Amino acid sequence: MNLKIEYENNQYLNFDAGLINFFLGPNSEIKWKLFRGLQRFNMGKALNELEENVYGEDGISIECDGKKLNSKNNLIMILDSRDSFLKHYTLSKGSLLLHYFENLKNDFDLNKSIYELNDKILNLETIFQDKIENELHNFVPSLHAIEFDEILKKLLIINYLENSQVFPLQMLDVNKTIEDFCRLLRNFLISESKPIWLWIKNPNSFLAKGSLKKFIAVLRKITNETKLLRVFIVSDDFLDIAYEPEDMENTVLIYNEIQQLPPYDIFLNSIKNNYPDNEFDDEEDLLGNLFKIFPYIDQKNYKNVFLDKKNMLLLKLVDELLGCNEIQLIKGNRNELTDCEENFLYGK
């Protein structure tokens, strides 16, 4: 699936999307503009005059396989903070939890209880009428029946449960609700049979490392099971998750240029063919190490980059393969390199 997303007037991010996609690299400005545009597109309202100065009079353009999309026929879900999770646990319009409860509208047990409740309301109405009939001859009190939608809007309250203790929803720990979120998401996909594009921005800022690893693992299962979910992860730093070889070709590096990476086997052969030593013994860890260095591609100042020597070497090699500017590194003693690796890294 080819996507073409306008992040500023006539400036596009054009890439082939897989089920799980990554946008990495040091150019945080373009990534921010991309997310800003997606959020504005998701609002579905016409641009005002100031916004047209940014995106043009024709609005924000998003194309899928050459077909222009609009916010009404394409569901984009955005997670960029704790609050963006929290809103899906409320009963507000568009939340996953509200959709879950709305699907219970025809549940037999619920409707039976509502029927019994309305029967008691009729009895209560009769009591009110009996109380006033001897004194107020021109008025008749009545009580309206309770409906399912009214229960959701006015009567149902959602609280947060942790360690058998009930808290207000605002106190929930997002890291402990990841599995519930995924169940709600999967429920929506299966019941509606509609695709969702889930965009996640800088998840390290609102999810703990272990929670993020679990979250991405479950999202992978959902994408493979339903084929209705596509995940787009935009990050300014390294994500400590389990990577798979196909993640490589679904990764877009955003630095001075915007470049989608080739399939992993092609990238691996390029590294082997250009590695400064006859023996390349890091193949087992290469995939994870590549994703460690991607946030630093073509970075002008490497003084504050915290990588061991092996990964600094890998960073320099990938920079050269991508045609980035030559970098100069400061020597360190983090771990040992071979003479060939040392000479390559420090330009001897």
Side-chain angles (χ1 to χ4, degrees):
M1 182 178 75
N2 179 263
L3 287 181
K4 186 178 179 182
I5 303 175
E6 185 178 25
Y7 60 87
E8 208 164 54
N9 192 15
N10 290 321
Q11 297 185 60
Y12 297 89
L13 189 68
N14 196 338
F15 63 99
D16 292 322
L19 295 178
I20 305 283
N21 306 270
F22 297 89
F23 302 87
L24 307 171
N27 195 326
S28 57
E29 180 180 356
I30 289 181
K31 287 182 286 184
W32 173 73
K33 288 179 178 179
L34 170 66
F35 230 80
R36 176 188 66 183
L38 288 166
Q39 289 175 316
R40 183 60 185 87
F41 177 85
N42 220 19
M43 292 173 63
K45 299 179 181 179
L47 301 183
N48 60 38
E49 185 175 348
L50 289 177
E51 290 170 329
E52 287 181 356
N53 293 334
V54 178
Y55 299 108
E57 294 181 359
D58 59 344
I60 302 171
S61 174
I62 298 181
E63 295 182 9
C64 178
D65 292 331
K67 182 181 179 181
K68 196 167 184 178
L69 304 181
N70 62 62
S71 59
K72 293 181 180 180
N73 61 20
N74 192 75
L75 182 55
I76 295 177
M77 184 179 295
I78 292 176
L79 296 177
D80 61 354
S81 64
R82 175 185 176 276
D83 287 343
S84 61
F85 268 98
L86 180 61
K87 73 177 183 180
H88 283 292
Y89 303 138
T90 67
L91 297 176
S92 58
K93 183 180 179 181
S95 79
L96 290 175
L97 188 62
L98 178 61
H99 176 270
Y100 175 83
F101 279 116
E102 286 176 338
N103 274 356
L104 298 176
K105 190 169 187 176
N106 296 320
D107 181 85
F108 175 79
D109 291 331
L110 282 175
N111 281 290
K112 180 182 177 182
S113 293
I114 292 173
Y115 176 83
E116 293 171 349
L117 180 60
N118 282 324
D119 195 42
K120 292 182 178 180
I121 288 176
L122 284 175
N123 292 334
L124 180 61
E125 179 182 271
T126 301
I127 295 173
F128 269 109
Q129 293 172 352
D130 291 343
K131 292 292 183 182
I132 72 167
E133 66 177 353
N134 293 327
E135 296 186 39
L136 303 175
H137 304 296
N138 297 304
F139 300 96
V140 178
S142 63
L143 298 174
H144 72 81
I146 291 179
E147 297 180 353
F148 184 85
D149 290 340
E150 184 182 21
I151 293 175
L152 292 187
K153 291 179 180 179
K154 297 181 180 180
L155 302 178
L156 188 61
I157 299 173
I158 304 299
N159 295 311
Y160 167 59
L161 182 67
E162 182 179 328
N163 297 327
S164 301
Q165 185 172 354
V166 178
F167 297 92
L169 188 62
Q170 291 74 17
M171 293 185 179
L172 73 78
D173 182 348
V174 170
N175 292 286
K176 295 181 178 179
T177 63
I178 292 298
E179 291 182 357
D180 284 331
F181 179 89
C182 290
R183 291 189 188 101
L184 291 171
L185 178 61
R186 190 176 185 277
N187 174 272
F188 178 93
L189 292 165
I190 293 175
S191 63
E192 295 297 317
S193 295
K194 293 180 179 179
I196 287 181
W197 293 359
L198 177 61
W199 285 82
I200 306 173
K201 181 185 178 186
N202 288 331
N204 284 341
S205 66
F206 54 89
L207 288 177
K209 182 171 65 175
S211 299
L212 176 59
K213 188 173 292 187
K214 179 193 300 183
F215 188 34
I216 301 303
V218 178
L219 289 179
R220 284 191 193 277
K221 291 181 180 179
I222 296 175
T223 60
N224 290 323
E225 289 173 1
T226 66
K227 306 300 181 185
L228 293 171
L229 176 67
R230 289 185 187 268
V231 181
F232 305 86
I233 305 172
V234 182
S235 181
D236 291 330
D237 48 21
F238 168 63
L239 303 174
D240 189 4
I241 63 175
Y243 292 96
E244 298 182 359
E246 57 265 30
D247 291 334
M248 187 65 63
E249 61 190 285
N250 296 327
T251 295
V252 177
L253 297 182
I254 303 177
Y255 48 108
N256 284 338
E257 299 182 21
I258 298 175
Q259 184 164 330
Q260 185 162 12
L261 293 175
Y264 179 63
D265 57 345
I266 295 176
F267 205 62
L268 173 60
N269 287 332
S270 295
I271 290 174
K272 285 183 176 180
N273 292 335
N274 292 276
Y275 198 75
D277 202 342
N278 292 329
E279 297 295 329
F280 180 75
D281 58 1
D282 290 339
E283 186 171 340
E284 182 178 346
D285 300 322
L286 178 63
L287 183 62
N289 287 336
L290 282 169
F291 278 92
K292 285 182 181 178
I293 70 166
F294 286 155
Y296 309 114
I297 290 295
D298 199 29
Q299 194 161 305
K300 294 297 178 284
N301 184 353
Y302 287 81
K303 292 182 179 179
N304 297 321
V305 176
F306 189 76
L307 294 171
D308 61 31
K309 279 188 176 182
K310 286 279 189 180
N311 283 331
M312 288 300 286
L313 184 151
L314 186 60
L315 174 59
K316 182 173 182 179
L317 176 57
V318 172
D319 265 355
E320 292 189 2
L321 289 174
L322 295 174
C324 301
N325 296 328
E326 184 177 351
I327 62 173
Q328 297 296 324
L329 303 175
I330 299 175
K331 286 190 177 183
N333 56 0
R334 293 287 309 283
N335 58 352
E336 295 300 322
L337 302 177
T338 67
D339 289 340
C340 290
E341 291 172 333
E342 190 89 17
N343 291 338
F344 174 83
L345 183 58
Y346 297 113
K348 293 182 181 178

